[in-house]
């Protein structure tokens, strides 16, 4: 009994941002399939800016297909059937590795607006060991973007000196944009946006099948 009481005293108190995060996670948990298009800009440590677009297909819980445009010399297609992950370059090079959520996350060049579909419990949580652990979170309502009002979840990570804004549709709780800024230089290192989203898409499991090497 004493240990239970002590644990409850030491637990981080739940606040409004935790309630909001729970709503967003629940939205993604309810998705069984999705077809969406993402446009992204990423800046590396040397200041080199890269641009690209991706057509994603998702089938719960962890099947993904990504067709990439703009990744020079890199992936052209990614396939994940829930057991293996295959990447295929435009030059014909292919690589197949065992599936893990961590491996799939590492291979996807976009951000939380994509990762939340199959890894929402990790990327949208403040619990120890999760992506937002130790971050300062605030909810900013009625933020303008693309002639519409959005709810922005702002994450500030003092340790990494970054700020990330997640633009969330207040009606559906889906994330449509992720913007990351370096707090030291005040320069953006990522700006990723969904330009089309269909969560009623009818997808066949064969779309995620990894072809055998010919």
């Amino acid at each position: 009994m004493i240990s239970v009481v002590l644990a409850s005293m030491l637990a981080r108190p739940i606040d409004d941002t935790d309630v909001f995060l729970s709503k967003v996670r629940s939205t993604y948990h309810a998705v069984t399939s999705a077809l969406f298009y993402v446009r992204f800009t990423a800046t590396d440590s040397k200041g080199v800016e890269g641009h690209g677009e991706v057509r994603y297909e998702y089938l719960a819980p962890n099947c993904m297909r990504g067709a990439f445009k703009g990744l020079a010399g890199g992936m052209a297609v990614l396939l994940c059937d829930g057991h293996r992950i295959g990447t295929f370059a435009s030059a014909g090079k292919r690589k197949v590795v065992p599936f893990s959520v961590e491996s799939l996350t590492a291979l996807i060049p976009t951000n939380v607006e994509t990762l939340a579909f199959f890894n929402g419990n990790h990327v949208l949580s403040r619990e120890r060991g999760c992506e937002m652990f130790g971050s300062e979170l605030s909810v900013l309502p009625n933020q303008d973007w693309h002639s519409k009002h959005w709810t922005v979840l702002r994450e500030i990570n003092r340790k990494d000196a970054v700020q990330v804004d997640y633009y969330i549709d207040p009606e559906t709780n889906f994330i449509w944009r992720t913007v990351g800024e370096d707090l030291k230089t005040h320069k953006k290192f990522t700006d990723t946006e969904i330009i089309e989203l269909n969560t009623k898409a009818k997808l066949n499991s064969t779309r995620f099948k990894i072809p055998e090497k010919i």
Side-chain angles (χ1 to χ4, degrees):
M1 177 64 72
I2 294 176
S3 61
V4 173
V5 173
L6 181 60
S8 65
M9 292 174 63
L10 294 175
R12 179 179 54 77
I14 295 175
D15 60 23
D16 290 345
T17 56
D18 291 300
V19 174
F20 183 70
L21 273 176
S22 178
K23 291 180 180 178
V24 178
R25 284 196 302 271
S26 294
T27 294
Y28 284 96
H29 288 166
V31 177
T32 57
S33 66
L35 169 63
F36 56 107
Y37 295 80
V38 180
R39 180 186 298 130
F40 64 92
T41 299
T43 305
D44 65 19
S45 58
K46 297 180 181 179
V48 178
E49 204 173 78
H51 306 269
E53 295 183 6
V54 193
R55 181 188 190 273
Y56 283 117
E57 296 168 60
Y58 165 73
L59 193 64
N62 46 36
C63 290
M64 290 287 292
R65 181 185 180 101
F68 303 88
K69 179 181 178 182
L71 298 182
M75 282 190 296
V77 176
L78 176 146
L79 293 171
C80 176
D81 61 8
H83 304 285
R84 298 183 301 164
I85 306 169
T87 56
F88 305 85
S90 53
K93 184 179 180 181
R94 70 176 253 151
K95 183 177 182 181
V96 179
V97 299
F99 168 79
S100 71
V101 172
E102 294 76 16
S103 295
L104 181 57
T105 298
L107 287 168
I108 287 178
T110 45
N111 216 291
V112 171
E113 75 297 315
T114 302
L115 305 178
F117 283 98
F118 65 88
N119 201 15
N121 283 341
H122 183 72
V123 298
L124 293 171
S125 175
R126 300 172 69 186
E127 296 301 318
R128 182 176 296 275
C130 294
E131 285 296 316
M132 293 181 174
F133 177 72
S135 293
E136 302 167 20
L137 299 181
S138 56
V139 178
L140 311 175
N142 299 319
Q143 302 298 300
D144 292 330
W145 176 57
H146 281 353
S147 303
K148 180 178 175 178
H149 292 309
W150 302 80
T151 299
V152 170
L153 176 67
R154 174 164 292 173
E155 177 187 7
I156 295 178
N157 186 317
R158 302 288 180 186
K159 181 181 178 181
D160 295 333
V162 297
Q163 172 183 296
V164 184
D165 286 349
Y166 306 98
Y167 285 71
I168 299 169
D169 186 329
E171 296 180 0
T172 66
N173 288 326
F174 284 112
I175 302 168
W176 281 72
R177 187 188 185 195
T178 304
V179 185
E181 177 185 312
D182 187 312
L183 289 175
K184 295 178 180 178
T185 64
H186 299 290
K187 293 182 178 179
K188 286 194 295 186
F189 60 86
T190 185
D191 193 343
T192 307
E193 65 176 285
I194 290 179
I195 53 179
E196 185 179 333
L197 171 63
N198 177 8
T199 57
K200 304 295 182 182
K202 303 297 183 181
L203 301 175
N204 193 297
S205 60
T206 57
R207 293 287 296 162
F208 309 92
K209 184 179 180 180
I210 299 173
E212 297 302 323
K213 189 173 183 180
I214 300 174

